[in-house]
Every structure is written in C-alpha cells, then in structure tokens.
Amino acid sequence: MEVVILNGSKQIAQLAADAIGELLRRKPDAVLGLATGSSPLPVYDELALRHERDGLDFSRASGFALDEYVGLPPGHPESYREVVLREFTNRVNIRPENVHGPDGSAADIPAACSAYEEAIAAAGGVDLQILGVGTDGHIAFNEPGSSFTSRTRIKSLIEQTRRDNARFFDSLADVPHHVLTQGLGTIMDARHVMLVATGAQKAQAVRDLVEGPVSAICPASILQFHPHATVLLDEAAASALKLADFYRHTYDNKPAWQGI
Ligand code: GLP
C-alpha cells in the first residue's frame, strides 16, 4: 500500500488524473471503476478539464460504478447511475453504452448482481478503481462485517452511513436502507485501486485502514492485501497516521519512473 500525503484536493486530483491519463494512453480501452460520494469529485473535475483542454480521450474506455441504492425510481437525481453520469461521464467522451452500474430497481436482485459481475468480467476486469471511504471504514457500500471475499450483492446500510448520506436527500427518511454494492472480493480484483480521502472527519477511518489490523470491522483495511493500492490523502485526513513522516519521505524520494 502506498500512502501519498498532499496539500489538498487540487493536488490529489492532479496526481489521480495523471495516473488515469497515463493508463488511457497505454490502454485506450481501459476499464475504470467509478466511485460516488464527494471525495472523487475533484478528480472528475480534473479529468473533465483535461478532456476539454488537452483532448484526453475516453472514447474507447468504459466505466463501472461501485454501487447503487435499492428502490429509487430510475432517473432519480441521487441514484448513483445519475450521479456518475452528471459528475463525470457526461463531461467526457465515454460512450453512454459503456457506462454501467448495478441495477437497484431490478425485480430479481440476485440475478442483477450476478449479471453485474459477469459484465465486469466480460469487459476484462477493472484496470483502475477509484474509491472513497466512509467514516466507518466502508468502501463502496461494504459496511463493517462484510466478507472479504464478497461479490456484488444487496446490503443494509448502517445508520451512520444513512446520516452521512442524508445531505444528498431532502431528509434522512428519504435515504434508502438497502443498496447493491460490488463486494470486497470484486474490488480486490481491480488491477490498481486508488482511494481518496480528505478532511479531518476521515482521519480515524484512514488510520484504521492504513495502520490498523486487517479486520472486517474496517472493510477498507482489506486493501492492505492489495498488490497495487494507492491512498491519496490531504493533511487533515492523514493527521492520525503514526508513520506519516515515513510516507512523506518515501514519496518525496521515489524514483520518477515509478509513477503511482
Ligand atoms: C458512500 C459511497 C462510497 C463513498 C462514501 C464516502 O457511502 N457508497 O463509495 O466512498 O459514501 O463518501 P464521501 O466521499 O462523500 O465522504
């Protein structure tokens, strides 16, 4: 796991966009794993800017969302499908048919979850997965206690996560209780995972995921087992890390050819 501590969101977005740009140049039909939440938004803004300004080309790329609420009507502005379209894919030249998400309004939920796993595999697997982290250490919607080998399935949200996400809805009562989410096993199959966390409210989750024991109580801690995991933090999110100086030193002295 590589931990990179930067001054703020702008620097994080630039470094993440550098890695994605390099991937697209190397592999124009790359498969991107797309997270929602506020943490990746500066990355999406930076990618949209580079598409507009520099012609960064997504025409052969595809995207797979991590998760989706169950029970929101199709087209609901806070459904993750709509969020991914609005915040990212509609702003670059990814073909709409190449943007996928789990179907939270399917009549047969287990079949929809299997179909989603099959679609990811048929696309060749995720090359680069963008992740945020919840205050309770969840990634995608894998709440504490999620199996480390889980695949896409239905999950119940912890009350804290519903409260955290209520800001996107009119009221807490409108936040669904159930979601479909890629499993921790699904996420671990991505070739490169890049987790973005900013702000002091994430400091404890970051400490647990980077330096805590690998435990289902902090689902993101499974990333310690990933062969290519990058954790991009601002100073506030990094403020509880014991080895922060070591991570800074390592990154500052890294050979340029290594990238992230
Ligand atoms: C939601 C999403 C996660 C995201 C988390 C944190 O629960 N399902 O993918 O990482 O929120 O969101 P934020 O980045 O807004 O703190």
Side-chain angles (χ1 to χ4, degrees), residues 77-204:
E78 291 311 324
S79 76
Y80 280 176
R81 171 153 193 90
E82 289 301 312
V83 172
V84 161
L85 293 171
R86 183 169 69 235
E87 302 292 356
F88 179 47
T89 59
N90 284 349
R91 303 165 68 197
V92 297
N93 62 334
I94 294 192
R95 292 160 58 174
E97 63 272 29
N98 287 349
V99 181
H100 310 272
D103 182 0
S105 56
D108 185 340
I109 292 281
C113 293
S114 303
Y116 197 56
E117 288 282 332
E118 282 161 22
I120 296 172
V126 172
D127 289 298
L128 191 152
Q129 176 65 59
I130 302 167
L131 289 176
V133 62
T135 52
D136 63 0
H138 73 251
I139 47 177
F141 269 137
N142 293 283
E143 294 283 26
S146 291
S147 159
F148 283 162
T149 58
S150 50
R151 312 302 303 188
T152 303
R153 68 216 184 287
I154 190 165
K155 290 289 284 179
S156 298
L157 293 181
I158 281 183
E159 238 2 65
Q160 179 61 44
T161 301
R162 292 186 65 248
R163 276 199 298 274
D164 286 349
N165 289 0
R167 68 190 191 279
F168 298 112
F169 292 84
D170 290 339
S171 74
L172 177 60
D174 293 335
V175 184
H177 287 267
H178 292 105
V179 293
L180 302 189
T181 180
Q182 286 188 29
L184 295 172
T186 320
I187 293 167
M188 287 294 281
D189 284 346
R191 292 177 190 92
H192 181 192
V193 297
M194 206 166 62
L195 183 147
V196 175
T198 50
Q201 76 283 4
K202 297 291 172 70
Q204 188 57 47

Side-chain angles (χ1 to χ4, degrees), residues 17-71:
D18 286 349
I20 293 166
E22 200 177 301
L23 169 66
L24 286 168
R25 279 183 284 277
R26 184 165 38 88
K27 187 176 180 187
D29 59 349
V31 178
L32 302 175
L34 305 174
T36 51
S38 43
S39 307
L41 293 180
V43 180
Y44 298 147
D45 289 344
E46 183 65 24
L47 290 171
L49 174 74
R50 292 184 189 197
H51 168 67
E52 197 63 33
R53 187 190 61 196
D54 311 330
L56 183 62
D57 183 22
F58 294 82
S59 61
R60 294 175 55 201
S62 51
F64 284 85
L66 279 172
D67 44 11
E68 182 57 281
Y69 291 109
V70 169

Side-chain angles (χ1 to χ4, degrees), residues 183-246:
L184 295 172
T186 320
I187 293 167
M188 287 294 281
D189 284 346
R191 292 177 190 92
H192 181 192
V193 297
M194 206 166 62
L195 183 147
V196 175
T198 50
Q201 76 283 4
K202 297 291 172 70
Q204 188 57 47
V206 166
R207 163 82 186 263
D208 291 345
L209 89 91
V210 174
E211 296 179 339
V214 175
S215 163
I217 197 73
C218 176
S221 65
I222 194 179
L223 298 177
Q224 293 179 33
F225 281 135
H226 196 285
H228 191 182
T230 309
V231 177
L232 302 176
L233 306 173
D234 69 359
E235 292 287 348
S239 58
L241 289 173
K242 268 202 250 177
L243 298 183
D245 286 343
F246 172 60

